[in-house]
């Protein structure tokens, strides 16, 4: 097949993205929301903090009562009450102090807190050795969040800080784009999960690898290994799995032009398109729908499968739940050595990036079976389809796989 007959990488990226689409919003418990993306704005139903409280362990006072305090002329005040955090609070009478803990409510009549370090720590009478202005070490009600304000906007990725804020506001269910559910399957009678393969068998690595990639993309992976190179058995098993609620079926292997290509033989007549993409590695690809789910069929060679996932599936999965950064960051770096590329095909070469030096080192041979080399790489060098030779020092686009 001439390269002019191949589908471009960008065209296939659009096709996969359109197939997976964006998932409808759903409410999930706050405990399950980390890493997901808000579908609606969050408006504070109350202020934070909800009451004036102490920012320090110390003494609640009236600032005017300690205006003259100094290290050589301390002001002594009787300690009328103790206020631990969470305790009810009364009034502070003029000329007195209340011993107060961090987070405890400020008593009515007090307008400042003197930290314990600026006192002698007295429990009956306290000697205050420094003046403090009104408002010192006081967290005022609404000082962090005002009731009625939008605190998180739709499109925000929920991380630990956002979880903490939502919990503080009493939010227990969050409206988000849910994680897509991905059925990851490897096929082939030669594959096994047995740690000691039999004659002619090989250990399945693709389903483990792609399930990990799905999880890393923020989706939910359901891993299956189906060994039967038999179309009726494959379809019966597949139908049962898809009935559990799956957004994407992701397969590896069985998509090339040879005999016993069970994925192609089973899904090709049922609406899944198999084509060749102008990319190396990862030329044979399949995409379509089956059983109500999007279908993406990747080649079987491990490097081809993982590179294809990075190029086509990962950004589409992240976009499906509204992630604002669906793509890997791309940086520019200079090559540490010359490389060549196949004419007419966009090549994704494994590399090792040195951000401090601004360089990238090609890592291992370009073949699609060198998974050991891929495991030592941290980036992909993106070589355009119309480039065949790159000299040492030339600047290239690099996909940072660590972010």
């Amino acid at each position: 097949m001439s390269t002019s007959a191949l589908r471009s990488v960008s065209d296939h990226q659009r096709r996969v993205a359109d197939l997976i689409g964006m998932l409808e919003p759903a409410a999930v418990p706050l405990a399950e929301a980390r890493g997901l993306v808000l579908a609606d704005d969050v408006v504070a139903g109350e202020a934070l903090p909800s009451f004036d409280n102490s920012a320090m362990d110390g003494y609640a006072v009236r600032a005017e009562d300690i205006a003259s305090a100094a290290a050589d002329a301390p002001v002594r005040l009787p300690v009328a009450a103790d206020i631990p955090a969470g305790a009810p609070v009364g009034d502070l009478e003029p000329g007195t102090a209340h011993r107060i803990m961090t987070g405890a409510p400020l008593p009515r009549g007090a307008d400042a807190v003197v930290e314990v370090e600026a006192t002698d720590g007295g429990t009956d009478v306290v000697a205050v050795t420094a003046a403090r202005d009104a408002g010192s070490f006081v967290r005022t009600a609404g000082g962090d969040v005002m009731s009625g304000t939008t605190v998180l906007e739709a499109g925000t990725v929920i991380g630990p800080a956002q979880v903490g804020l939502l919990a503080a506001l009493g939010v227990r269910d969050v409206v988000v784009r849910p994680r897509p559910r991905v059925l990851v399957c490897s096929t082939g009678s030669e594959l096994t999960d047995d740690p000691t393969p039999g004659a002619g068998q090989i250990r399945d690595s693709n389903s483990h690898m792609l399930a990990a990639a799905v999880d890393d993309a923020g989706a939910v992976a359901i891993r299956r290994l189906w060994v039967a190179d038999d179309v009726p058995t494959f379809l019966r098993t597949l139908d049962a799995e898809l009935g559990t609620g799956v957004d994407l079926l992701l397969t590896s292997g069985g998509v090339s032009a040879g005999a016993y290509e069970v994925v192609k033989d089973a899904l090709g007549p049922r609406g899944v398109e198999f084509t060749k993409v102008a990319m190396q590695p990862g030329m044979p690809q399949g995409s379509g729908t089956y059983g109500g789910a999007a279908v993406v069929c990747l080649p079987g060679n491990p490097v081809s499968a993982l590179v294809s996932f990075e190029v086509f599936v990962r950004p589409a999965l992240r976009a499906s739940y509204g992630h604002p950064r669906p793509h890997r960051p791309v940086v520019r770096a200079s090559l540490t050595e010359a490389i060549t590329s196949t004419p007419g095909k966009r090549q994704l070469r494994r590399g090792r990036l040195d951000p401090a030096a601004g360089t990238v080192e090609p890592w291992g041979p370009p073949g699609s079976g060198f998974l050991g080399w891929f495991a030592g790489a941290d980036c992909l060098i993106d070589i355009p389809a119309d480039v065949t030779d790159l000299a040492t020092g030339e600047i290239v686009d690099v996909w940072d796989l660590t972010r």
Side-chain angles (χ1 to χ4, degrees):
M1 178 181 288
S2 69
T3 55
S4 62
L6 303 178
R7 176 179 289 169
S8 72
V9 170
S10 58
D11 282 348
H12 198 64
Q13 284 175 319
R14 282 190 291 271
R15 175 171 170 80
V16 172
D18 289 344
L19 285 171
I20 297 175
M22 182 170 281
L23 301 178
E24 291 298 316
V28 302
L30 180 60
E32 300 173 12
R34 188 190 64 80
L36 292 176
V37 180
L38 283 172
D40 294 334
D41 293 346
V42 175
V43 176
E46 60 187 66
L48 287 182
S50 57
F51 53 84
D52 294 347
N53 67 85
S54 177
M56 297 285 285
D57 291 340
Y59 297 83
V61 298
R62 296 171 184 262
E64 63 185 46
D65 287 343
I66 60 166
S68 64
D72 57 353
V75 171
R76 289 180 169 80
L77 300 173
V79 179
D82 275 354
I83 312 173
V89 63
D91 295 339
L92 176 76
E93 298 297 330
T96 68
H98 287 185
R99 192 165 64 144
I100 194 168
M101 305 301 125
T102 302
L106 201 69
R108 289 177 294 274
D111 60 7
V113 172
V114 181
E115 69 278 25
V116 70
E117 293 82 359
T119 73
D120 66 351
T123 56
D124 296 319
V125 175
V126 61
V128 179
T129 57
R132 291 291 180 261
D133 295 331
S136 293
F137 300 116
V138 174
R139 299 178 182 136
T140 58
D144 185 14
V145 172
M146 294 293 293
S147 178
T149 60
T150 298
V151 291
L152 295 172
E153 295 182 346
T156 299
V157 180
I158 300 173
Q162 290 76 29
V163 169
L165 175 59
L166 293 167
L169 289 169
V171 175
R172 292 297 177 264
D173 293 296
V174 190
V175 179
V176 296
R177 303 280 179 182
R179 301 182 193 278
R181 289 170 52 83
V182 183
L183 178 62
V184 180
C185 67
S186 290
T187 62
S189 56
E190 78 280 12
L191 299 177
T192 181
D193 265 341
D194 194 316
T196 306
Q201 290 186 314
I202 60 173
R203 298 182 187 91
D204 171 46
S205 60
N206 279 5
S207 66
H208 291 279
M209 175 180 70
L210 292 173
V214 166
D215 288 340
D216 185 65
V220 177
I222 306 153
R223 188 186 77 87
R224 296 290 183 266
L225 170 61
W226 300 333
V227 299
D229 276 335
D230 172 77
V231 169
T233 301
F234 175 79
L235 288 174
R236 282 196 302 271
T237 309
L238 180 58
D239 291 343
E241 292 285 352
L242 293 179
T244 64
V246 170
D247 300 298
L248 170 65
L249 166 64
L250 183 64
T251 72
S252 63
V255 299
S256 297
Y260 305 109
E261 301 289 2
V262 66
V263 174
K264 190 173 184 180
D265 293 343
L267 299 179
R270 293 167 174 82
V272 176
E273 176 194 37
F274 291 87
T275 189
K276 295 184 185 296
V277 177
M279 185 176 85
Q280 187 184 46
M283 185 172 66
Q285 299 287 334
S287 57
T289 60
Y290 177 77
V295 177
V296 175
C297 303
L298 306 180
N301 282 319
V303 173
S304 295
L306 190 53
V307 170
S308 297
F309 181 91
E310 285 289 337
V311 175
F312 303 119
V313 184
R314 187 179 195 273
L317 282 179
R318 286 164 69 83
S320 76
Y321 65 93
H323 201 288
R325 296 176 298 280
H327 298 279
R328 295 285 193 184
V330 176
V331 299
R332 302 276 283 167
S334 63
L335 286 167
T336 60
E337 62 185 69
I339 53 177
T340 61
S341 183
T342 302
K345 291 184 180 180
R346 185 170 167 183
Q347 187 177 92
L348 281 300
R349 285 282 297 270
R350 287 139 284 173
R352 294 184 68 135
L353 183 64
D354 185 340
T359 60
V360 61
E361 176 187 4
W363 194 249
S368 57
F370 295 98
L371 187 57
W373 283 99
F374 204 162
D378 59 15
C379 66
L380 292 173
I381 303 168
D382 190 352
I383 306 171
D386 60 353
V387 173
T388 57
D389 295 281
L390 288 165
T392 301
E394 285 202 56
I395 303 298
V396 292
D397 286 341
V398 179
W399 298 18
D400 187 345
L401 300 181
T402 67
R403 293 188 288 156

